[in-house]
Amino acid sequence: MKSLDISGFFVKCTILIVVFDISVVCTFAQKTDFGGGFTFGNTISAMSAENIPGFWKTGLTTGLFGHVKVVDKYKVRMLLQMDMNFTMKGTRTKPNFGAEGHYRRDKYSLSFGYIEFPLLVRLRFNSPKTSNDGLWLDIGPSVGFLLYQRTVQIITTHGGRGGMRYEWDDLYDLKRLEFALHGGITYVFKRHHGISFRFCHSILPIGTPDYEYTSGLLKKHYNSTFHFVYSFQL
């Protein structure tokens, strides 16, 4: 249970970072070139793997952000934004029906928890200097720290009689760090409110398949995640 052994360390680090980020946001939010706030929303994610079909799994994401204005001329506004989010990712499978008398897979769900730190460039064109309202383009990399992984499998007989539930931690040998790329749009309205749609994909593998269970056609694992997020700027 390697991820559980180190999760306490990550939680302590996260608490310290949260306290620091809140203090920074509170200090600079009233200044012209600085801003910040919090986010909350949903994720829909899948993990590529030979033995795990790519069916999407829902989760939650929440966090803090702070940004600084770096360009504001010629009707172009650019912000540099740093996020800190707790994000749930994972994947799931459809039931696997076998022959009569064999077992079938009723539920197979992988759940991952990450602390992510995206560094985003946010661009808006034809922007009046007096307002942040409107449509922004967001793009940038992130690094994520794996807090936990959990696998749940429930199988029953083909006729639905009986049932067995299995749960594992660290069933898959995943890396502790995820390097990913984010891209999407944010619409800001009434100065403080924003709605974001972003897609995030691992740019480096998060792990390798267990060849005892796979044919090895897919040599690496990657996370793919859609984010639907509400943000409030202080």
Side-chain angles (χ1 to χ4, degrees):
M1 298 187 180
K2 293 179 288 184
S3 62
L4 296 179
D5 292 338
I6 65 171
S7 62
F9 170 77
F10 281 131
V11 169
K12 293 177 182 178
C13 291
T14 301
I15 292 173
L16 292 176
I17 294 171
V18 168
V19 172
F20 175 76
D21 282 2
I22 290 176
S23 65
V24 171
V25 168
C26 291
T27 300
F28 293 110
Q30 302 304 318
K31 296 184 180 293
T32 303
D33 292 339
F34 294 87
F38 62 87
T39 61
F40 180 81
N42 270 67
T43 61
I44 304 176
S45 59
M47 185 182 77
S48 60
E50 167 75 7
N51 61 326
I52 306 171
F55 293 92
W56 301 95
K57 178 180 175 62
T58 59
L60 297 175
T61 181
T62 185
L64 302 171
F65 68 90
H67 59 237
V68 59
K69 182 172 61 179
V70 293
V71 174
D72 194 0
K73 58 177 62 176
Y74 308 115
K75 293 188 177 181
V76 175
R77 182 170 293 188
M78 184 172 76
L79 305 178
L80 187 63
Q81 178 167 305
M82 178 72 178
D83 294 2
M84 188 198 69
N85 305 317
F86 169 74
T87 303
M88 298 172 65
K89 301 183 180 183
T91 193
R92 62 187 179 89
T93 64
K94 290 199 304 186
N96 181 19
F97 295 91
E100 185 67 36
H102 290 189
Y103 289 107
R104 68 182 175 99
R105 179 184 294 160
D106 280 333
K107 178 181 179 181
Y108 190 46
S109 175
L110 275 71
S111 301
F112 312 136
Y114 284 90
I115 294 292
E116 293 185 309
F117 297 91
L119 181 62
L120 301 174
V121 173
R122 306 191 62 210
L123 290 169
R124 183 172 177 224
F125 303 97
N126 297 320
S127 172
K129 292 186 177 181
T130 57
S131 174
N132 284 328
D133 289 3
L135 188 66
W136 294 79
L137 301 178
D138 306 328
I139 188 169
S142 73
V143 58
F145 298 88
L146 179 66
L147 295 181
Y148 67 85
Q149 59 167 302
R150 189 69 168 165
T151 304
V152 175
Q153 180 175 348
I154 301 174
I155 58 176
T156 67
T157 60
H158 189 75
R161 297 180 297 275
M164 292 175 286
R165 178 185 178 94
Y166 301 93
E167 297 187 15
W168 301 273
D169 298 303
D170 286 334
L171 178 63
Y172 295 90
D173 186 18
L174 300 183
K175 296 179 180 179
R176 301 305 173 189
L177 294 179
E178 180 196 30
F179 297 94
L181 184 65
H182 295 245
I185 57 175
T186 297
Y187 185 78
V188 178
F189 57 98
K190 295 184 177 179
R191 295 186 58 190
H192 299 290
H193 306 279
I195 301 294
S196 298
F197 171 78
R198 294 178 189 160
F199 178 71
C200 169
H201 187 74
S202 307
I203 55 178
L204 293 178
I206 63 169
T208 56
D210 185 341
Y211 289 98
E212 181 179 349
Y213 300 102
T214 74
S215 64
L217 293 178
L218 295 177
K219 303 297 184 182
K220 305 291 182 181
H221 293 329
Y222 295 87
N223 281 326
S224 300
T225 310
F226 290 99
H227 297 249
F228 305 90
V229 177
Y230 165 79
S231 58
F232 182 83
Q233 181 173 318
L234 301 176

